[in-house]
Structures are given as structure tokens and as C-alpha cells.
Amino acid sequence: MIKRRALALILILCFAVSFIACGKDTKETQNPDTNQKEKTEVVKEKEDNQEKTNTSETPGKIVATGKYDTLVIGTQTFNGVFSPLFYSTGYDAQAYEPVFTSVSRLNKDGVLVDYAGHVEAEIQKAADGHEQVLYTVTLQKGMVFSDGEPVTIDDVLFYYYVTADPTYDGASTFSTLDIVGMKEYYYDTPDYSSKINAITEEVNSKYTLDTISEADYKAYLRESNLEGWWQGIDSYDWVAYLQGEGYDTAGIESDEEKLFELLVTCEYEKYASAYDPQTYYQNKLESEFITGNLEDGIDVPTISGINKVDDYTCTVLFDSINIYGDREVANISIVPEHYYGKDFKKGNLAGVKALNGTPMGSGPYKFISYQDNIVTLEANPLFFGNTPKIPTIKLQVVPDSDKVDALIGDQIDITDPSASQDVIAQVEEAGMAYSLVDNPGYGYIAISSERIPDLNVRKGLMHLMNRKPAVEAYYGKLAQVIERPMTPTVAEYPDNAKEVYGYDPAKAAEYFSAAGYTKDSNGKLVKNNEKLVVSVGIGGDGKMDHPSAPILTQMANDMAALGAELVIQDLDFSTLVNKKDSGELDMWVMAWGNSTTCDLTQIFGSKGNDNDVKLYSDEIDALQAEILRTVDFDKRCELVAKELDLIMEAAVYMPVYQRKNMEIYNANTIKLETLPEETTTYWNYSSEIYNLEMQ
């Protein structure tokens, strides 16, 4: 079974397309929420000091400073939603980011700095004495969009109101922020709380896993298409799946309606605990409540905590401290209201969405076209910052397996292949340049405290994980062993974090003994006549092709020597997720991607949606709440370090590695000296695209 509220199986079709000759684009790959400490210098293996050829200026149009006038960037499949309001993939974001500016942005160290404006915060007291935070957002004066219309604070306010709209379904979580008046606006009534409480009571009594009826549960599965897992009869091998689960599909193999109904029955009967009907019905009933409020007229037209001061200034009042509040209100794209908002009104975003494929902003480039898997951008002469040096950027779809060859063959200028020792050798041999930066995520091995409730057993297992040789063998210099369950790209990650559970079979044996396990006459490690047997799942696709595979292999050998047993299940990723979610595994090997903040509530909080290890700790919960209220950075770091120490003491997560991401640059076509001096997780060539030059 594949599915889950947090899992979407996305099949990306890579089309073969003809390459554009020398000349291509840039992207901004900063992470807006996390901080990164390690900086990597661009490796300049070779520079071609070819004399540049200047051309005369054409009024109103940017001309090339060298012989190449187009930058071509190799990227991956677009969805065609080139809007900061509604995009759903990083590749679409890569295409639209040069078109827009933001009030503030993250610098190379992940620190929020001024860009097209400024934000400052002031803590104040509410009437009842509790602390609030007033953010003042100010724009530079004199900026214009690429069509010449002035940029004003109304454009910032427009972003706020679109993402706060009750019908908004994009990626922003702006509507969930604790801004004064936000809930009244969202529910379109000042008296929302009694109704929402009543809805919650109804959901708790009728739609939890313990109380929901079979009819309501199956209705939820149908209406949600199994939480998005079902995307039609051709979207997966449903027949094989159902047969594997023991269901007879004879005569309905091609009957979409009947096959789907059998699938609903299968999921209800076998995997009901892996779904979340409670949240579905909560959201459904709240949505019906909001729809009814909007249909009888708009009662709350504005958010009381958001106020316009003048044409270039607004304030946003948070009703509580939010350590990322400044990013929430300022690290956002400035979206032209006069372009996107012509037909905008509360409860109707159709007009805004209609322009998803044709973005317009005030950035260094303007959108020209998207066709044949190529996005074309043109330099914006009205950009308020440094004048772009490259007239045209093209972002072209290139399969990952072809990226390196395409760049070495001068078909593209910049791209981001999957990093490996072989790729590095190939790039170096060709005399190209590259950079390596830490990926904002990490790999880990988890232990279920529900299935292995004895802390001593969990600690013994941790001491059998020999990480360093495995990581070095798989990644070489492209990854590092980490010691806490948080990516080091987050600024609050503890400096000089020490190893807690070093590889030590003798120490593991001591912990197993402390848990009451002894060897019987046959050499088996037993307790109450039951052998210690532990199951672990890893996504090695049946070939144990995974950086943590050697850890498990050695662990299995060590456990066998101790008289215990480790049962390794080498699975495809979807099956691994299924077994983890359904509670069939004692341990599992996975990785987090795009970990962007120090907030670990969802993973290790008692009520966290991703608390798969079933760690329940009042002390950790209290620390997490305090962390999110602590503005002082040094104090917050202390609290995060304490929280991570407690998690490690619980022996439910062994952090294994953090790998590196790679960008490569064509030394034959790009002036390498115009690349940023430092490339980090939050700062790359796209951050300074206006400074980049072609040869």
C-alpha cells in the first residue's frame, strides 16, 4: 500500500527535447526558512579568458557584454505554475524566481536581510498584558514592475490577502499565523469560535479512528481518492496490489469503478489506521461553514491586525511571539495587484489563478514564454538593482542522467546533477567548475518506542550502528556523519555536537543484559524464553543500494554473534512507507528533506503528525513550546541543544548523514569570476543573477 496524507507518488516523465545551443539560465535555490553554516568555494577548475565582445546598447533593451547572449540552465520537468502564490514544485519556482523580488531575503548565512525593503519588529503588551509583536514592513521608493507600474505596499498587502483567503489552496501557510483578526477574516465571522468548537466536538464524537462508522470511513476514502493515492485506473498496478493483499480481482481488471470500490474495501479492512479521517472531516465541515458565511455576504472584509500606514509601509500585529514572524511577512514575493488582482475578491481566486502561467514582477528578468519544455526569460531594464548582464535566460528540461554530458558538450551552461564521486571526476576531467553545499535534510535510522518499549534494548541497538565507514564508502567526501536529529544547515544545530552512541558491540551487550536478556544453552539471547528479534526496513529496492545498508549488514552480524537476530527487509520506497505507517517495523531507514527550521514539534512532539517513533515526553513538549517563543538566538540554541540531547537519550533516532548538493558551471561559456564568491544552501548564482556574465 502506498498513500497516506503525507505521501504522494509523483511520476515525472522526462521528455527527450532538442537542446538549445550555448546560452541558458539561473535559479534561486535559497531555502527561506533554514540557516546554513558551511560555505563552499566554487571550484574553478578551468577558466577560459577569451576576450569579450561588446555590442552597442539598444535603448530599453539589455545587450550582451560578451559573445554569448543567452544563459541556458538545465532543469527538470515543469508543471507550468509559475506563480509564487500557487506553485507546487521547486522547478516551477526556479523559473519564476528571477521574475520577482521580495521585501527581504536570506543571505549566504541564512540570515534575513533587506532586499526591496525592510522589516523590523517591536514587542508590545496587549490590553490583558500578554506579549504581542508588531512588524513594520517598508518598501524602497521608486521601484516599478516590468510593465512600468509603480511598486507600492498595496502589492505586499495583496499577497497577504490572497494567501489568507479561505479558499486559498496554495503552499503558503500565512492563514495559519497568529495574526490579530486572522481567524475572524478566515471564517468570515467575528463569532467563529463557538461554531468551530462545535464542529470539533462533532468530529471527535463521530469521525476519529475509534468512533467512525464503516460508511463514513469509506465515504472519506472515496471522496479523498484515498488521500490522493488513487489517480485513476492507469496510475498504478492496482490489480497486482489487490491480488497481493489477498483480494480477487477476476472480471473487474478493467472496470475502474469496481476496482476502485474494491480498493476502498481493502484499505478500510487492512490499513484503516494509516489514514486520517478525523482531519478530513474537520476540514470538510469547517469548509462548509466558511462557504455558508461567504454566500450570505462578506461580513469580515479585512484583517484587523494588518494595516496600511502609507504607500510604502504597513504593519502586521502578531498576537504571540513567532521566531519566524519576520520571514513570514517579509520573505515573500512582491506580487503586482494591478496585474493579478483585477478580478480578486474574497472567496474567489479564479482570476488570480488564471495568470499562473504568465508571471509578472519587479525582478531582474521578465517572463517571455513557456513552450517545448523551455521557459524563456528576458532581462528587465527597469529592475531597481544592478542591471542584468545577460539578455536572455532559458530554463530547459534535461533528464538528470543527461545533465553532465549536456554541460560538457556546451549544450547548457549551468545545471544541478545528482552528486557522486564519478560526476565530480567527470566534471574535473572536462575542466568545468562546480560547487558542493549541504543539503537541507539528513538520513536517519529510527526505532519505534512502541514496538521496542525497553529503553535499554533501544540503546543497545544504537551501539551496533557503525555509521562512519558506511557513509564514507557510499558518499566519500559528499556527505558527513551527523550527531543530532536535525540538519546542520539549521542555525540552531549545536556546534561541536558529540557522539552519544559510538559503535561498541560490548556496550550493546551490556544494555541487552540490563534489559533482562541472557544467553540460553543454545547461545540465543532470550528473555522469558523469547529470542531478541528485531525487524528493520530499508529502501534499497531489493539490491541493498543505500548508504545505510552496510550499517544494517554489520549490525545483523553483530546481533547474530550476540545470539540475537536482525531481520532486514529490503523494500521499494512505497512499501517501506506503508510498513512504517502501519506499524509493522521495529526500525526503519529513511531521510528527511527540506528540513528548514528548528521546530521539531511534528516529528518528536507528543501530538506531532510525523511522530512515527511514538515518543511521548512532557519535558520535550514543554521545551518545544518554549523554543518557538524564544526570540533570543543564543538562548534558543541552548534550548534546542537540550531538546536534542533528550531525544538522543530516548534512543529513537540515530542520525546518520547529511549529503551534499551539487551545481556545475560551464567554464567555456560563463565568466566564472562573476559567480558568487561563496555558494551555500541559501545563496547561489541565482541570488546574484544580475551580476552573472557570459563570455
Side-chain angles (χ1 to χ4, degrees):
M1 177 194 58
I2 319 168
K3 41 125 225 10
R4 238 125 257 108
R5 37 184 176 63
L7 175 67
L9 179 62
I10 303 175
L11 302 177
I12 300 179
L13 303 178
C14 294
F15 295 94
V17 294
S18 57
F19 290 114
I20 312 293
C22 268
K24 310 120 201 182
D25 156 300
T26 158
K27 89 187 175 192
E28 178 169 359
T29 55
Q30 324 182 52
N31 190 316
D33 296 321
T34 122
N35 290 320
Q36 191 259 2
K37 300 175 182 175
E38 176 182 337
K39 280 84 68 176
T40 307
E41 295 292 335
V42 172
V43 182
K44 297 179 179 179
E45 297 295 341
K46 170 183 169 183
E47 293 191 19
D48 183 350
N49 295 318
Q50 179 178 349
E51 183 179 351
K52 68 181 180 181
T53 314
N54 287 315
T55 58
S56 59
E57 285 193 16
T58 301
K61 190 177 180 68
I62 305 299
V63 297
T65 58
K67 67 177 181 179
Y68 298 118
D69 64 358
T70 303
L71 176 75
V72 181
I73 295 179
T75 184
Q76 291 181 241
T77 306
F78 298 116
N79 280 352
V81 182
F82 306 121
S83 166
L85 296 165
F86 294 104
Y87 78 100
S88 60
T89 74
Y91 307 119
D92 283 358
Q94 178 185 3
Y96 76 65
E97 281 168 346
V99 175
F100 293 89
T101 54
S102 55
V103 179
S104 304
R105 61 175 176 172
L106 301 185
N107 68 6
K108 60 185 177 61
D109 297 314
V111 176
L112 193 70
V113 296
D114 293 348
Y115 187 25
H118 175 73
V119 60
E120 57 184 49
E122 176 188 354
I123 297 178
Q124 58 185 40
K125 295 286 187 180
D128 62 2
H130 78 274
E131 289 187 329
Q132 296 177 315
V133 183
L134 182 70
Y135 291 97
T136 301
V137 178
T138 306
L139 290 178
Q140 292 187 35
K141 296 179 180 179
M143 295 186 298
V144 296
F145 292 105
S146 60
D147 66 350
E149 289 293 317
V151 177
T152 73
I153 204 67
D154 289 331
D155 303 303
V156 174
L157 295 171
F158 177 67
Y159 180 96
Y160 295 160
Y161 274 94
V162 170
T163 53
D165 194 86
T167 64
Y168 175 75
D169 58 357
S172 172
T173 57
F174 190 76
S175 67
T176 67
L177 298 175
D178 190 20
I179 294 172
V180 172
M182 177 65 81
K183 290 182 178 178
E184 289 84 351
Y185 179 81
Y186 185 79
Y187 293 114
D188 197 47
T189 174
D191 186 28
Y192 68 89
S193 58
S194 58
K195 178 61 178 178
I196 296 303
N197 289 338
I199 288 174
T200 301
E201 290 179 6
E202 179 183 359
V203 169
N204 288 339
S205 66
K206 294 176 60 178
Y207 301 117
T208 68
L209 289 175
D210 295 329
T211 60
I212 192 169
S213 68
E214 178 178 348
D216 286 336
Y217 196 107
K218 287 186 173 180
Y220 143 68
L221 291 176
R222 294 186 193 99
E223 292 168 13
S224 69
N225 286 324
L226 309 181
E227 290 284 15
W229 185 34
W230 169 270
Q231 297 180 25
I233 194 169
D234 296 323
S235 60
Y236 190 67
D237 191 348
W238 304 112
V239 172
Y241 171 73
L242 288 166
Q243 290 176 349
E245 296 293 340
Y247 290 85
D248 183 8
T249 61
I252 64 170
E253 293 90 344
S254 301
D255 190 320
E256 187 167 36
E257 184 177 342
K258 291 182 178 179
L259 199 66
F260 177 59
E261 192 58 34
L262 184 59
L263 188 61
V264 166
T265 298
C266 168
E267 298 304 287
Y268 172 73
E269 293 178 348
K270 307 195 76 170
Y271 299 109
S273 63
Y275 288 90
D276 185 13
Q278 184 173 353
T279 298
Y280 172 82
Y281 279 107
Q282 180 80 30
N283 292 339
K284 179 182 180 181
L285 294 177
E286 286 189 17
S287 178
E288 291 173 353
F289 169 58
I290 292 169
T291 299
N293 289 340
L294 293 176
E295 286 178 346
D296 65 11
I298 295 174
D299 296 320
V300 184
T302 60
I303 302 168
S304 60
I306 298 179
N307 290 285
K308 179 178 178 179
V309 177
D310 57 39
D311 285 345
Y312 300 99
T313 311
C314 74
T315 59
V316 183
L317 181 62
F318 278 63
D319 203 34
S320 59
I321 291 176
N322 182 322
I323 59 175
Y324 299 113
D326 54 353
R327 300 185 186 191
E328 298 285 2
V329 300
N331 191 20
I332 60 169
S333 296
I334 301 174
V335 180
E337 182 185 27
H338 74 275
Y339 178 70
Y340 286 97
K342 292 176 182 177
D343 300 315
F344 169 67
K345 66 176 183 178
K346 184 178 181 180
N348 183 1
L349 300 180
V352 182
K353 287 185 174 183
L355 298 171
N356 279 348
T358 53
M360 187 178 73
S362 56
Y365 283 83
K366 53 186 178 181
F367 178 86
I368 299 300
S369 65
Y370 169 50
Q371 58 185 13
D372 300 327
N373 287 320
I374 300 169
V375 171
T376 301
L377 307 177
E378 184 178 285
N380 175 19
L382 301 179
F383 176 56
F384 73 92
N386 293 347
T387 302
K389 312 299 190 299
I390 302 172
T392 304
I393 290 175
K394 290 184 181 292
L395 295 98
Q396 174 161 336
V397 174
V398 181
D400 191 69
S401 59
D402 295 337
K403 286 180 176 178
V404 177
D405 289 338
L407 185 131
I408 292 175
D410 289 342
Q411 296 168 320
I412 59 177
D413 304 310
I414 297 178
T415 192
D416 56 346
S418 298
S420 71
Q421 297 294 339
D422 289 342
V423 167
I424 288 178
Q426 188 178 1
V427 170
E428 289 180 344
E429 183 179 356
M432 299 301 174
Y434 66 92
S435 64
L436 297 170
V437 299
D438 286 337
N439 178 61
Y442 65 96
Y444 65 91
I445 301 174
I447 305 176
S448 169
S449 64
E450 186 174 64
R451 289 180 62 93
I452 304 181
D454 194 307
L455 178 60
N456 284 316
V457 174
R458 298 201 302 270
K459 288 186 174 182
L461 293 171
M462 299 281 270
H463 275 295
L464 293 177
M465 299 179 191
N466 195 6
R467 299 169 295 157
K468 186 175 180 180
V471 173
E472 289 182 347
Y474 194 91
Y475 283 115
K477 63 180 181 180
L478 300 178
Q480 61 177 330
V481 174
I482 61 173
E483 300 299 343
R484 295 294 183 272
M486 173 184 283
T487 171
T489 60
V490 173
E492 290 86 352
Y493 184 89
D495 291 326
N496 304 313
K498 299 294 189 294
E499 184 178 63
V500 178
Y501 302 99
Y503 174 66
D504 190 342
K507 192 71 173 177
E510 291 178 13
Y511 276 114
F512 292 150
S513 176
Y517 282 90
T518 58
K519 281 194 175 183
D520 65 11
S521 58
N522 296 317
K524 294 181 180 180
L525 196 63
V526 299
K527 179 180 179 180
N528 299 327
N529 295 319
E530 290 189 12
K531 182 181 177 180
L532 177 59
V533 179
V534 176
S535 65
V536 60
I538 184 171
D541 289 324
K543 300 175 291 185
M544 290 293 279
D545 181 15
H546 193 284
S548 292
I551 300 174
L552 300 189
T553 300
Q554 184 167 8
M555 193 175 180
N557 293 335
D558 290 338
M559 288 185 69
L562 293 172
E565 182 179 1
L566 181 71
V567 180
I568 302 173
Q569 300 183 35
D570 184 6
L571 310 164
D572 64 83
F573 182 72
S574 60
T575 304
L576 173 62
V577 172
N578 165 51
K579 285 181 173 288
K580 171 185 71 71
D581 288 352
S582 58
E584 298 178 42
L585 297 170
D586 300 319
M587 298 168 50
W588 56 90
V589 179
M590 297 192 78
W592 286 112
N594 197 32
S595 300
T596 59
T597 75
C598 67
D599 181 8
L600 301 180
T601 307
Q602 291 299 316
I603 303 174
F604 299 112
S606 296
K607 297 181 179 180
N609 290 332
D610 296 311
N611 185 1
D612 298 315
V613 295
K614 311 300 181 186
L615 177 61
Y616 305 118
S617 165
D618 291 340
E619 186 176 6
I620 291 176
D621 290 345
L623 269 173
Q624 290 172 339
E626 187 176 359
I627 286 167
L628 297 181
R629 293 192 301 267
T630 303
V631 176
D632 182 88
F633 177 74
D634 291 335
K635 177 61 176 176
R636 190 164 70 245
C637 287
E638 293 177 10
L639 295 172
V640 169
K642 184 177 179 181
E643 174 196 21
L644 293 172
D645 286 346
L646 289 174
I647 294 169
M648 292 303 295
E649 172 62 24
V652 292
Y653 249 60
M654 175 61 91
V656 179
Y657 65 88
Q658 179 185 49
R659 64 176 176 81
K660 294 186 181 295
N661 291 331
M662 185 179 194
E663 283 180 351
I664 57 178
Y665 317 101
N666 193 327
N668 298 326
T669 59
I670 294 174
K671 286 187 177 181
L672 299 181
E673 67 271 17
T674 64
L675 289 165
E677 292 184 3
E678 290 181 330
T679 297
T680 75
T681 302
Y682 311 107
W683 194 265
N684 71 347
Y685 68 92
S686 68
S687 308
E688 301 179 20
I689 191 63
Y690 39 77
N691 291 332
L692 193 62
E693 295 185 47
M694 306 293 290
Q695 296 194 32

